[in-house]
Amino acid sequence: MDKCRIGIAGLGRLGKVHARNIAFRIRGAELKAACSIVPEELDFAKSELGVTNVYSDYRKMLAEADIDAVCVVTTSKEHCWQIEAALDSGKHVFSEKPLGVDLAQCKQAEAAVERHPDLTFMLGFMRRYDKSYSYAKKLIDSGRIGTPYMVKATGIDPESAVQGAIRFAKNSGGIFLDMAIHDIDLCRWFLNSEAVEVYAAGATFKHPEFKEAYDDETGAAMYRFANGALAMVHVGRTAPYGYHVETEIIGTEGTVRISAVPAKNLAEVYGHDGVLTECVGSFPERFDDAYLTEMEEFVDCVLNGKKPGVSVYDGTKSTAIAYATTEAWKTGKAVRIE
Ligand SMILES: NC(=O)c1ccc[n+]([C@@H]2O[C@H](COP(=O)([O-])OP(=O)(O)OC[C@H]3O[C@@H](n4cnc5c(N)ncnc54)[C@H](O)[C@@H]3O)[C@@H](O)[C@H]2O)c1
């Protein structure tokens, strides 16, 4: 195989990013088919991506399209059955996070991956493919900061997007399942250990609609890991200045900080308000390179039989930790993670 022919399922906010990367930016990939339950998105596939082979029925795409692989970027609750159906029909699969919305679903996806060891499965924890995060991981693994014993992670969405988050709140599974999963994955990755205990709390000061949906606009969680290390995760919906993703890994011999100021770029603007660093505005802007690099890795794995850096088990473990965090937040009690 010299080209990986891909069908994409889901052409919403993130689906469009992956679709453009597959169609126009990856030499070994070809976007052959697209599936969405939104008719306008299928028009988009035809007019903007040049894909004529479009479907509103996912199983029909699997049965009829001339594809080697599927890229699943649908609503989270659809991921696991779509992963299983694709693998069982002989297709390689890239799936967006979260793997599933409950552990039973995640186990169903794990079993399907195990049934097909000859097919590639990769989960989209794209932060691992961001240049700064992958550099930090190399530094840590080389011993540069000694033994890492704490991670402090912040992920706050721009307030400009808060109305969408409010609309979605009732079905999001709560702020920790929806938002903290990237940070949880990074903590596991950097500390090279699994979380065994969590305490969590939430707060709402600006948008009472979150409380009405039994959610919170801000969440804070503290974890203890099996190797004794600690992690603190702060997630939120109301950054007035843009998209704030920041991570600090502290070790016995030093610290690595990633985007301590979530700057748009290296430009500083001198004006009447002083000297300003503009903030990055959204996840597609901040992680543009990472979305491309992770998809390049997926295609490389399919074409050359390599194993991807993010497995189905990373998906199950991060979901289990996010569930325990949600339970801790709801009960106000520390929760042991099995
Ligand atoms: N890695 C990241 O940084 C990141 C960022 C945003 C979203 N996501 C994940 O990506 C996924 C999509 O998020 P989004 O923001 O693009 O959502 P969205 O609501 O904008 O789009 C959802 C898409 O799924 C499609 N869909 C839903 N059910 C379907 C079905 N049964 N068959 C075919 N298509 C179906 C819809 O037609 C739509 O195209 C979610 O799982 C989300 O968690 C990941």
Side-chain angles (χ1 to χ4, degrees), residues 101-150:
V101 292
D102 61 45
L103 282 178
Q105 280 193 357
C106 293
K107 291 286 175 193
Q108 178 191 348
E110 272 187 11
V113 171
E114 286 166 1
R115 273 201 301 283
H116 301 285
D118 48 329
L119 294 173
T120 299
F121 174 81
M122 179 171 169
L123 191 69
F125 277 134
M126 83 299 178
R127 286 193 199 172
R128 296 194 188 196
Y129 295 86
D130 174 76
K131 283 196 183 81
S132 305
Y133 281 99
S134 56
Y135 183 66
K137 174 70 173 162
K138 280 197 195 102
L139 288 182
I140 291 164
D141 287 352
S142 74
R144 184 78 171 267
I145 63 163
T147 304
Y149 64 84
M150 184 181 291

mmCIF file of all heavy atoms in Angstrom, residues 101-150:
data_model
loop_
_atom_site.group_PDB
_atom_site.id
_atom_site.type_symbol
_atom_site.label_atom_id
_atom_site.label_comp_id
_atom_site.label_asym_id
_atom_site.label_seq_id
_atom_site.Cartn_x
_atom_site.Cartn_y
_atom_site.Cartn_z
ATOM 1 N N VAL A 101 -17.630 7.024 26.541
ATOM 2 C CA VAL A 101 -18.191 7.846 27.622
ATOM 3 C C VAL A 101 -18.456 7.030 28.889
ATOM 4 O O VAL A 101 -18.869 7.578 29.899
ATOM 5 C CB VAL A 101 -19.469 8.600 27.183
ATOM 6 C CG1 VAL A 101 -19.137 9.662 26.156
ATOM 7 C CG2 VAL A 101 -20.529 7.653 26.667
ATOM 8 N N ASP A 102 -18.253 5.702 28.820
ATOM 9 C CA ASP A 102 -18.242 4.923 30.060
ATOM 10 C C ASP A 102 -17.275 3.744 29.895
ATOM 11 O O ASP A 102 -16.817 3.446 28.786
ATOM 12 C CB ASP A 102 -19.649 4.479 30.487
ATOM 13 C CG ASP A 102 -20.318 3.587 29.451
ATOM 14 O OD1 ASP A 102 -19.660 2.664 28.940
ATOM 15 O OD2 ASP A 102 -21.505 3.822 29.146
ATOM 16 N N LEU A 103 -17.005 3.082 31.022
ATOM 17 C CA LEU A 103 -15.948 2.064 30.982
ATOM 18 C C LEU A 103 -16.360 0.828 30.207
ATOM 19 O O LEU A 103 -15.521 0.193 29.545
ATOM 20 C CB LEU A 103 -15.551 1.680 32.405
ATOM 21 C CG LEU A 103 -14.650 2.725 33.053
ATOM 22 C CD1 LEU A 103 -14.316 2.342 34.477
ATOM 23 C CD2 LEU A 103 -13.371 2.914 32.241
ATOM 24 N N ALA A 104 -17.677 0.498 30.243
ATOM 25 C CA ALA A 104 -18.139 -0.680 29.488
ATOM 26 C C ALA A 104 -17.866 -0.475 28.002
ATOM 27 O O ALA A 104 -17.374 -1.380 27.306
ATOM 28 C CB ALA A 104 -19.629 -0.901 29.747
ATOM 29 N N GLN A 105 -18.145 0.737 27.512
ATOM 30 C CA GLN A 105 -17.859 1.056 26.097
ATOM 31 C C GLN A 105 -16.365 0.933 25.802
ATOM 32 O O GLN A 105 -15.961 0.413 24.763
ATOM 33 C CB GLN A 105 -18.257 2.498 25.796
ATOM 34 C CG GLN A 105 -19.710 2.742 25.552
ATOM 35 C CD GLN A 105 -19.915 4.144 24.959
ATOM 36 O OE1 GLN A 105 -18.982 4.925 24.801
ATOM 37 N NE2 GLN A 105 -21.152 4.434 24.629
ATOM 38 N N CYS A 106 -15.543 1.453 26.710
ATOM 39 C CA CYS A 106 -14.083 1.408 26.489
ATOM 40 C C CYS A 106 -13.612 -0.043 26.387
ATOM 41 O O CYS A 106 -12.765 -0.387 25.533
ATOM 42 C CB CYS A 106 -13.337 2.104 27.620
ATOM 43 S SG CYS A 106 -13.616 3.882 27.675
ATOM 44 N N LYS A 107 -14.164 -0.916 27.231
ATOM 45 C CA LYS A 107 -13.770 -2.337 27.212
ATOM 46 C C LYS A 107 -14.195 -2.988 25.892
ATOM 47 O O LYS A 107 -13.497 -3.854 25.366
ATOM 48 C CB LYS A 107 -14.417 -3.082 28.391
ATOM 49 C CG LYS A 107 -13.855 -2.659 29.724
ATOM 50 C CD LYS A 107 -12.455 -3.241 29.918
ATOM 51 C CE LYS A 107 -11.818 -2.744 31.197
ATOM 52 N NZ LYS A 107 -10.375 -3.013 31.282
ATOM 53 N N GLN A 108 -15.344 -2.544 25.369
ATOM 54 C CA GLN A 108 -15.835 -3.056 24.078
ATOM 55 C C GLN A 108 -14.837 -2.665 22.970
ATOM 56 O O GLN A 108 -14.489 -3.481 22.109
ATOM 57 C CB GLN A 108 -17.204 -2.422 23.823
ATOM 58 C CG GLN A 108 -17.885 -2.760 22.537
ATOM 59 C CD GLN A 108 -19.113 -1.841 22.306
ATOM 60 O OE1 GLN A 108 -19.559 -1.122 23.206
ATOM 61 N NE2 GLN A 108 -19.654 -1.869 21.105
ATOM 62 N N ALA A 109 -14.339 -1.445 23.028
ATOM 63 C CA ALA A 109 -13.355 -1.004 22.029
ATOM 64 C C ALA A 109 -12.040 -1.759 22.210
ATOM 65 O O ALA A 109 -11.414 -2.191 21.235
ATOM 66 C CB ALA A 109 -13.131 0.499 22.138
ATOM 67 N N GLU A 110 -11.629 -1.964 23.471
ATOM 68 C CA GLU A 110 -10.394 -2.727 23.737
ATOM 69 C C GLU A 110 -10.484 -4.124 23.131
ATOM 70 O O GLU A 110 -9.547 -4.593 22.478
ATOM 71 C CB GLU A 110 -10.197 -2.902 25.254
ATOM 72 C CG GLU A 110 -9.459 -1.787 25.910
ATOM 73 C CD GLU A 110 -9.147 -2.101 27.385
ATOM 74 O OE1 GLU A 110 -9.313 -3.260 27.836
ATOM 75 O OE2 GLU A 110 -8.747 -1.160 28.080
ATOM 76 N N ALA A 111 -11.651 -4.780 23.357
ATOM 77 C CA ALA A 111 -11.815 -6.157 22.850
ATOM 78 C C ALA A 111 -11.722 -6.169 21.324
ATOM 79 O O ALA A 111 -11.106 -7.076 20.734
ATOM 80 C CB ALA A 111 -13.160 -6.727 23.318
ATOM 81 N N ALA A 112 -12.300 -5.167 20.670
ATOM 82 C CA ALA A 112 -12.248 -5.114 19.199
ATOM 83 C C ALA A 112 -10.806 -4.909 18.730
ATOM 84 O O ALA A 112 -10.359 -5.551 17.762
ATOM 85 C CB ALA A 112 -13.144 -3.981 18.686
ATOM 86 N N VAL A 113 -10.048 -4.062 19.416
ATOM 87 C CA VAL A 113 -8.635 -3.846 19.041
ATOM 88 C C VAL A 113 -7.863 -5.157 19.222
ATOM 89 O O VAL A 113 -7.051 -5.546 18.368
ATOM 90 C CB VAL A 113 -8.019 -2.704 19.898
ATOM 91 C CG1 VAL A 113 -6.515 -2.615 19.682
ATOM 92 C CG2 VAL A 113 -8.683 -1.373 19.555
ATOM 93 N N GLU A 114 -8.140 -5.862 20.322
ATOM 94 C CA GLU A 114 -7.426 -7.123 20.584
ATOM 95 C C GLU A 114 -7.792 -8.212 19.573
ATOM 96 O O GLU A 114 -6.963 -9.063 19.245
ATOM 97 C CB GLU A 114 -7.716 -7.590 22.017
ATOM 98 C CG GLU A 114 -6.967 -6.735 23.038
ATOM 99 C CD GLU A 114 -7.463 -6.912 24.475
ATOM 100 O OE1 GLU A 114 -8.382 -7.721 24.688
ATOM 101 O OE2 GLU A 114 -6.935 -6.198 25.360
ATOM 102 N N ARG A 115 -9.026 -8.166 19.056
ATOM 103 C CA ARG A 115 -9.435 -9.150 18.021
ATOM 104 C C ARG A 115 -8.686 -8.945 16.713
ATOM 105 O O ARG A 115 -8.643 -9.835 15.877
ATOM 106 C CB ARG A 115 -10.937 -8.980 17.707
ATOM 107 C CG ARG A 115 -11.881 -9.742 18.593
ATOM 108 C CD ARG A 115 -13.248 -9.951 17.942
ATOM 109 N NE ARG A 115 -13.975 -8.743 17.563
ATOM 110 C CZ ARG A 115 -14.635 -7.953 18.402
ATOM 111 N NH1 ARG A 115 -14.640 -8.223 19.693
ATOM 112 N NH2 ARG A 115 -15.299 -6.893 17.960
ATOM 113 N N HIS A 116 -8.159 -7.720 16.510
ATOM 114 C CA HIS A 116 -7.545 -7.391 15.211
ATOM 115 C C HIS A 116 -6.131 -6.839 15.401
ATOM 116 O O HIS A 116 -5.862 -5.660 15.100
ATOM 117 C CB HIS A 116 -8.413 -6.366 14.476
ATOM 118 C CG HIS A 116 -9.802 -6.852 14.223
ATOM 119 N ND1 HIS A 116 -10.105 -7.777 13.248
ATOM 120 C CD2 HIS A 116 -10.968 -6.568 14.847
ATOM 121 C CE1 HIS A 116 -11.400 -8.033 13.274
ATOM 122 N NE2 HIS A 116 -11.952 -7.323 14.231
ATOM 123 N N PRO A 117 -5.206 -7.684 15.882
ATOM 124 C CA PRO A 117 -3.856 -7.169 16.162
ATOM 125 C C PRO A 117 -3.121 -6.712 14.906
ATOM 126 O O PRO A 117 -2.156 -5.958 14.985
ATOM 127 C CB PRO A 117 -3.153 -8.382 16.792
ATOM 128 C CG PRO A 117 -3.963 -9.563 16.393
ATOM 129 C CD PRO A 117 -5.358 -9.106 16.196
ATOM 130 N N ASP A 118 -3.609 -7.144 13.748
ATOM 131 C CA ASP A 118 -2.965 -6.766 12.480
ATOM 132 C C ASP A 118 -3.419 -5.378 12.004
ATOM 133 O O ASP A 118 -2.840 -4.823 11.063
ATOM 134 C CB ASP A 118 -3.292 -7.817 11.402
ATOM 135 C CG ASP A 118 -4.784 -8.145 11.375
ATOM 136 O OD1 ASP A 118 -5.444 -8.070 12.455
ATOM 137 O OD2 ASP A 118 -5.315 -8.435 10.281
ATOM 138 N N LEU A 119 -4.443 -4.811 12.637
ATOM 139 C CA LEU A 119 -4.924 -3.491 12.214
ATOM 140 C C LEU A 119 -4.419 -2.418 13.181
ATOM 141 O O LEU A 119 -4.297 -2.666 14.384
ATOM 142 C CB LEU A 119 -6.462 -3.469 12.179
ATOM 143 C CG LEU A 119 -7.108 -4.370 11.128
ATOM 144 C CD1 LEU A 119 -8.641 -4.397 11.311
ATOM 145 C CD2 LEU A 119 -6.763 -3.917 9.710
ATOM 146 N N THR A 120 -4.150 -1.227 12.643
ATOM 147 C CA THR A 120 -3.693 -0.114 13.486
ATOM 148 C C THR A 120 -4.879 0.533 14.184
ATOM 149 O O THR A 120 -5.900 0.816 13.552
ATOM 150 C CB THR A 120 -3.014 0.959 12.603
ATOM 151 O OG1 THR A 120 -1.894 0.364 11.964
ATOM 152 C CG2 THR A 120 -2.558 2.159 13.423
ATOM 153 N N PHE A 121 -4.728 0.771 15.494
ATOM 154 C CA PHE A 121 -5.693 1.608 16.204
ATOM 155 C C PHE A 121 -4.910 2.701 16.930
ATOM 156 O O PHE A 121 -3.926 2.428 17.616
ATOM 157 C CB PHE A 121 -6.522 0.834 17.234
ATOM 158 C CG PHE A 121 -7.383 1.777 18.037
ATOM 159 C CD1 PHE A 121 -8.582 2.246 17.513
ATOM 160 C CD2 PHE A 121 -6.955 2.278 19.271
ATOM 161 C CE1 PHE A 121 -9.355 3.166 18.216
ATOM 162 C CE2 PHE A 121 -7.721 3.204 19.978
ATOM 163 C CZ PHE A 121 -8.931 3.641 19.435
ATOM 164 N N MET A 122 -5.365 3.928 16.776
ATOM 165 C CA MET A 122 -4.703 5.043 17.477
ATOM 166 C C MET A 122 -5.750 6.003 18.035
ATOM 167 O O MET A 122 -6.747 6.294 17.381
ATOM 168 C CB MET A 122 -3.797 5.790 16.496
ATOM 169 C CG MET A 122 -3.096 6.979 17.109
ATOM 170 S SD MET A 122 -1.866 7.636 15.960
ATOM 171 C CE MET A 122 -1.461 9.163 16.773
ATOM 172 N N LEU A 123 -5.500 6.476 19.262
ATOM 173 C CA LEU A 123 -6.405 7.434 19.897
ATOM 174 C C LEU A 123 -5.796 8.836 19.828
ATOM 175 O O LEU A 123 -4.584 8.996 19.981
ATOM 176 C CB LEU A 123 -6.622 7.022 21.361
ATOM 177 C CG LEU A 123 -7.744 7.760 22.085
ATOM 178 C CD1 LEU A 123 -9.112 7.354 21.536
ATOM 179 C CD2 LEU A 123 -7.682 7.484 23.579
ATOM 180 N N GLY A 124 -6.657 9.841 19.643
ATOM 181 C CA GLY A 124 -6.170 11.196 19.380
ATOM 182 C C GLY A 124 -5.863 12.035 20.609
ATOM 183 O O GLY A 124 -6.513 13.062 20.824
ATOM 184 N N PHE A 125 -4.884 11.624 21.409
ATOM 185 C CA PHE A 125 -4.393 12.526 22.459
ATOM 186 C C PHE A 125 -3.292 13.380 21.832
ATOM 187 O O PHE A 125 -2.102 13.115 21.987
ATOM 188 C CB PHE A 125 -3.869 11.733 23.658
ATOM 189 C CG PHE A 125 -4.961 11.297 24.604
ATOM 190 C CD1 PHE A 125 -5.009 10.003 25.084
ATOM 191 C CD2 PHE A 125 -5.934 12.196 25.032
ATOM 192 C CE1 PHE A 125 -6.012 9.602 25.961
ATOM 193 C CE2 PHE A 125 -6.945 11.807 25.909
ATOM 194 C CZ PHE A 125 -6.979 10.506 26.373
ATOM 195 N N MET A 126 -3.736 14.441 21.124
ATOM 196 C CA MET A 126 -2.792 15.163 20.255
ATOM 197 C C MET A 126 -1.759 15.970 20.997
ATOM 198 O O MET A 126 -0.723 16.309 20.434
ATOM 199 C CB MET A 126 -3.563 16.053 19.270
ATOM 200 C CG MET A 126 -3.986 17.393 19.790
ATOM 201 S SD MET A 126 -5.103 17.262 21.196
ATOM 202 C CE MET A 126 -5.337 18.969 21.575
ATOM 203 N N ARG A 127 -2.022 16.267 22.301
ATOM 204 C CA ARG A 127 -1.016 17.087 22.999
ATOM 205 C C ARG A 127 0.328 16.374 23.039
ATOM 206 O O ARG A 127 1.372 17.007 23.089
ATOM 207 C CB ARG A 127 -1.481 17.412 24.413
ATOM 208 C CG ARG A 127 -2.574 18.451 24.405
ATOM 209 C CD ARG A 127 -2.807 18.987 25.803
ATOM 210 N NE ARG A 127 -4.096 19.630 25.880
ATOM 211 C CZ ARG A 127 -4.633 20.061 26.991
ATOM 212 N NH1 ARG A 127 -4.005 19.924 28.137
ATOM 213 N NH2 ARG A 127 -5.828 20.636 26.982
ATOM 214 N N ARG A 128 0.316 15.022 23.041
ATOM 215 C CA ARG A 128 1.586 14.281 23.045
ATOM 216 C C ARG A 128 2.399 14.562 21.781
ATOM 217 O O ARG A 128 3.591 14.281 21.733
ATOM 218 C CB ARG A 128 1.322 12.781 23.128
ATOM 219 C CG ARG A 128 0.665 12.324 24.405
ATOM 220 C CD ARG A 128 0.775 10.823 24.488
ATOM 221 N NE ARG A 128 0.017 10.235 25.571
ATOM 222 C CZ ARG A 128 0.208 9.008 26.011
ATOM 223 N NH1 ARG A 128 1.128 8.237 25.444
ATOM 224 N NH2 ARG A 128 -0.516 8.512 26.998
ATOM 225 N N TYR A 129 1.729 15.084 20.725
ATOM 226 C CA TYR A 129 2.405 15.337 19.439
ATOM 227 C C TYR A 129 2.749 16.808 19.245
ATOM 228 O O TYR A 129 3.351 17.173 18.247
ATOM 229 C CB TYR A 129 1.540 14.806 18.279
ATOM 230 C CG TYR A 129 1.440 13.306 18.375
ATOM 231 C CD1 TYR A 129 0.466 12.712 19.162
ATOM 232 C CD2 TYR A 129 2.383 12.499 17.756
ATOM 233 C CE1 TYR A 129 0.411 11.337 19.323
ATOM 234 C CE2 TYR A 129 2.337 11.125 17.900
ATOM 235 C CZ TYR A 129 1.349 10.553 18.694
ATOM 236 O OH TYR A 129 1.319 9.195 18.854
ATOM 237 N N ASP A 130 2.360 17.645 20.212
ATOM 238 C CA ASP A 130 2.738 19.059 20.177
ATOM 239 C C ASP A 130 4.258 19.150 20.397
ATOM 240 O O ASP A 130 4.808 18.434 21.239
ATOM 241 C CB ASP A 130 1.985 19.781 21.305
ATOM 242 C CG ASP A 130 2.422 21.222 21.447
ATOM 243 O OD1 ASP A 130 2.006 22.041 20.609
ATOM 244 O OD2 ASP A 130 3.180 21.528 22.398
ATOM 245 N N LYS A 131 4.917 20.050 19.666
ATOM 246 C CA LYS A 131 6.395 20.132 19.736
ATOM 247 C C LYS A 131 6.881 20.371 21.169
ATOM 248 O O LYS A 131 7.841 19.756 21.624
ATOM 249 C CB LYS A 131 6.888 21.286 18.854
ATOM 250 C CG LYS A 131 6.894 20.992 17.371
ATOM 251 C CD LYS A 131 7.761 22.034 16.649
ATOM 252 C CE LYS A 131 7.733 21.834 15.152
ATOM 253 N NZ LYS A 131 6.539 22.396 14.509
ATOM 254 N N SER A 132 6.217 21.291 21.886
ATOM 255 C CA SER A 132 6.696 21.633 23.232
ATOM 256 C C SER A 132 6.461 20.477 24.209
ATOM 257 O O SER A 132 7.315 20.180 25.046
ATOM 258 C CB SER A 132 5.969 22.879 23.749
ATOM 259 O OG SER A 132 6.121 23.920 22.821
ATOM 260 N N TYR A 133 5.296 19.817 24.110
ATOM 261 C CA TYR A 133 5.023 18.701 25.020
ATOM 262 C C TYR A 133 5.945 17.518 24.722
ATOM 263 O O TYR A 133 6.451 16.877 25.643
ATOM 264 C CB TYR A 133 3.548 18.275 24.929
ATOM 265 C CG TYR A 133 2.631 19.198 25.699
ATOM 266 C CD1 TYR A 133 1.911 20.194 25.049
ATOM 267 C CD2 TYR A 133 2.506 19.101 27.076
ATOM 268 C CE1 TYR A 133 1.088 21.065 25.746
ATOM 269 C CE2 TYR A 133 1.686 19.965 27.792
ATOM 270 C CZ TYR A 133 0.977 20.948 27.119
ATOM 271 O OH TYR A 133 0.181 21.805 27.828
ATOM 272 N N SER A 134 6.195 17.233 23.433
ATOM 273 C CA SER A 134 7.055 16.078 23.147
ATOM 274 C C SER A 134 8.504 16.392 23.544
ATOM 275 O O SER A 134 9.232 15.514 24.008
ATOM 276 C CB SER A 134 6.942 15.620 21.692
ATOM 277 O OG SER A 134 7.235 16.659 20.823
ATOM 278 N N TYR A 135 8.904 17.672 23.436
ATOM 279 C CA TYR A 135 10.246 18.072 23.877
ATOM 280 C C TYR A 135 10.360 17.893 25.398
ATOM 281 O O TYR A 135 11.354 17.353 25.902
ATOM 282 C CB TYR A 135 10.491 19.532 23.475
ATOM 283 C CG TYR A 135 11.860 20.035 23.800
ATOM 284 C CD1 TYR A 135 12.980 19.510 23.165
ATOM 285 C CD2 TYR A 135 12.050 21.052 24.738
ATOM 286 C CE1 TYR A 135 14.255 19.976 23.469
ATOM 287 C CE2 TYR A 135 13.315 21.518 25.038
ATOM 288 C CZ TYR A 135 14.407 20.978 24.408
ATOM 289 O OH TYR A 135 15.666 21.442 24.702
ATOM 290 N N ALA A 136 9.320 18.336 26.118
ATOM 291 C CA ALA A 136 9.327 18.197 27.584
ATOM 292 C C ALA A 136 9.441 16.725 27.971
ATOM 293 O O ALA A 136 10.177 16.366 28.899
ATOM 294 C CB ALA A 136 8.043 18.798 28.164
ATOM 295 N N LYS A 137 8.721 15.870 27.261
ATOM 296 C CA LYS A 137 8.763 14.432 27.578
ATOM 297 C C LYS A 137 10.187 13.887 27.394
ATOM 298 O O LYS A 137 10.686 13.121 28.226
ATOM 299 C CB LYS A 137 7.759 13.706 26.675
ATOM 300 C CG LYS A 137 7.776 12.195 26.757
ATOM 301 C CD LYS A 137 7.234 11.658 28.070
ATOM 302 C CE LYS A 137 7.131 10.126 28.005
ATOM 303 N NZ LYS A 137 7.031 9.556 29.360
ATOM 304 N N LYS A 138 10.855 14.331 26.304
ATOM 305 C CA LYS A 138 12.239 13.862 26.067
ATOM 306 C C LYS A 138 13.164 14.344 27.187
ATOM 307 O O LYS A 138 13.998 13.588 27.678
ATOM 308 C CB LYS A 138 12.747 14.393 24.712
ATOM 309 C CG LYS A 138 12.244 13.578 23.547
ATOM 310 C CD LYS A 138 13.059 13.848 22.278
ATOM 311 C CE LYS A 138 12.314 13.311 21.077
ATOM 312 N NZ LYS A 138 11.627 14.340 20.294
ATOM 313 N N LEU A 139 13.001 15.606 27.587
ATOM 314 C CA LEU A 139 13.843 16.139 28.674
ATOM 315 C C LEU A 139 13.649 15.320 29.951
ATOM 316 O O LEU A 139 14.614 14.955 30.618
ATOM 317 C CB LEU A 139 13.456 17.594 28.988
ATOM 318 C CG LEU A 139 13.820 18.671 27.991
ATOM 319 C CD1 LEU A 139 13.381 20.034 28.530
ATOM 320 C CD2 LEU A 139 15.324 18.684 27.752
ATOM 321 N N ILE A 140 12.387 15.051 30.265
ATOM 322 C CA ILE A 140 12.076 14.339 31.510
ATOM 323 C C ILE A 140 12.647 12.922 31.450
ATOM 324 O O ILE A 140 13.302 12.462 32.387
ATOM 325 C CB ILE A 140 10.551 14.333 31.750
ATOM 326 C CG1 ILE A 140 10.093 15.752 32.066
ATOM 327 C CG2 ILE A 140 10.163 13.374 32.875
ATOM 328 C CD1 ILE A 140 8.606 15.969 31.953
ATOM 329 N N ASP A 141 12.440 12.245 30.316
ATOM 330 C CA ASP A 141 12.933 10.868 30.195
ATOM 331 C C ASP A 141 14.461 10.807 30.207
ATOM 332 O O ASP A 141 15.047 9.787 30.552
ATOM 333 C CB ASP A 141 12.381 10.208 28.921
ATOM 334 C CG ASP A 141 10.898 9.875 29.058
ATOM 335 O OD1 ASP A 141 10.367 10.015 30.183
ATOM 336 O OD2 ASP A 141 10.261 9.478 28.058
ATOM 337 N N SER A 142 15.113 11.938 29.822
ATOM 338 C CA SER A 142 16.586 11.938 29.842
ATOM 339 C C SER A 142 17.122 12.248 31.242
ATOM 340 O O SER A 142 18.331 12.269 31.458
ATOM 341 C CB SER A 142 17.117 12.985 28.849
ATOM 342 O OG SER A 142 16.923 14.290 29.401
ATOM 343 N N GLY A 143 16.239 12.538 32.195
ATOM 344 C CA GLY A 143 16.671 12.791 33.573
ATOM 345 C C GLY A 143 16.989 14.247 33.864
ATOM 346 O O GLY A 143 17.468 14.591 34.949
ATOM 347 N N ARG A 144 16.726 15.137 32.926
ATOM 348 C CA ARG A 144 17.120 16.552 33.062
ATOM 349 C C ARG A 144 16.523 17.228 34.303
ATOM 350 O O ARG A 144 17.162 18.087 34.894
ATOM 351 C CB ARG A 144 16.674 17.262 31.786
ATOM 352 C CG ARG A 144 17.039 18.690 31.647
ATOM 353 C CD ARG A 144 18.485 18.909 31.241
ATOM 354 N NE ARG A 144 18.662 20.301 30.935
ATOM 355 C CZ ARG A 144 18.548 20.835 29.722
ATOM 356 N NH1 ARG A 144 18.324 20.057 28.683
ATOM 357 N NH2 ARG A 144 18.695 22.124 29.543
ATOM 358 N N ILE A 145 15.309 16.873 34.712
ATOM 359 C CA ILE A 145 14.742 17.508 35.924
ATOM 360 C C ILE A 145 14.720 16.520 37.102
ATOM 361 O O ILE A 145 13.951 16.681 38.051
ATOM 362 C CB ILE A 145 13.331 18.098 35.673
ATOM 363 C CG1 ILE A 145 12.309 17.013 35.299
ATOM 364 C CG2 ILE A 145 13.360 19.192 34.637
ATOM 365 C CD1 ILE A 145 10.850 17.480 35.438
ATOM 366 N N GLY A 146 15.561 15.519 37.046
ATOM 367 C CA GLY A 146 15.596 14.522 38.123
ATOM 368 C C GLY A 146 14.344 13.658 38.079
ATOM 369 O O GLY A 146 13.859 13.311 37.004
ATOM 370 N N THR A 147 13.810 13.355 39.263
ATOM 371 C CA THR A 147 12.589 12.537 39.326
ATOM 372 C C THR A 147 11.377 13.465 39.327
ATOM 373 O O THR A 147 11.240 14.292 40.242
ATOM 374 C CB THR A 147 12.583 11.695 40.614
ATOM 375 O OG1 THR A 147 13.780 10.920 40.639
ATOM 376 C CG2 THR A 147 11.365 10.776 40.669
ATOM 377 N N PRO A 148 10.493 13.381 38.321
ATOM 378 C CA PRO A 148 9.310 14.253 38.351
ATOM 379 C C PRO A 148 8.380 13.830 39.480
ATOM 380 O O PRO A 148 8.046 12.657 39.601
ATOM 381 C CB PRO A 148 8.666 14.024 36.973
ATOM 382 C CG PRO A 148 9.197 12.726 36.492
ATOM 383 C CD PRO A 148 10.506 12.470 37.176
ATOM 384 N N TYR A 149 8.003 14.782 40.349
ATOM 385 C CA TYR A 149 7.139 14.410 41.470
ATOM 386 C C TYR A 149 5.823 15.187 41.506
ATOM 387 O O TYR A 149 4.976 14.942 42.340
ATOM 388 C CB TYR A 149 7.876 14.529 42.816
ATOM 389 C CG TYR A 149 8.292 15.935 43.186
ATOM 390 C CD1 TYR A 149 7.403 16.808 43.812
ATOM 391 C CD2 TYR A 149 9.586 16.383 42.917
ATOM 392 C CE1 TYR A 149 7.788 18.092 44.155
ATOM 393 C CE2 TYR A 149 9.974 17.662 43.256
ATOM 394 C CZ TYR A 149 9.076 18.527 43.869
ATOM 395 O OH TYR A 149 9.450 19.799 44.205
ATOM 396 N N MET A 150 5.660 16.165 40.596
ATOM 397 C CA MET A 150 4.378 16.876 40.564
ATOM 398 C C MET A 150 4.110 17.447 39.164
ATOM 399 O O MET A 150 5.026 17.940 38.505
ATOM 400 C CB MET A 150 4.368 18.023 41.573
ATOM 401 C CG MET A 150 3.015 18.696 41.616
ATOM 402 S SD MET A 150 2.918 20.078 42.761
ATOM 403 C CE MET A 150 3.026 19.264 44.311
#
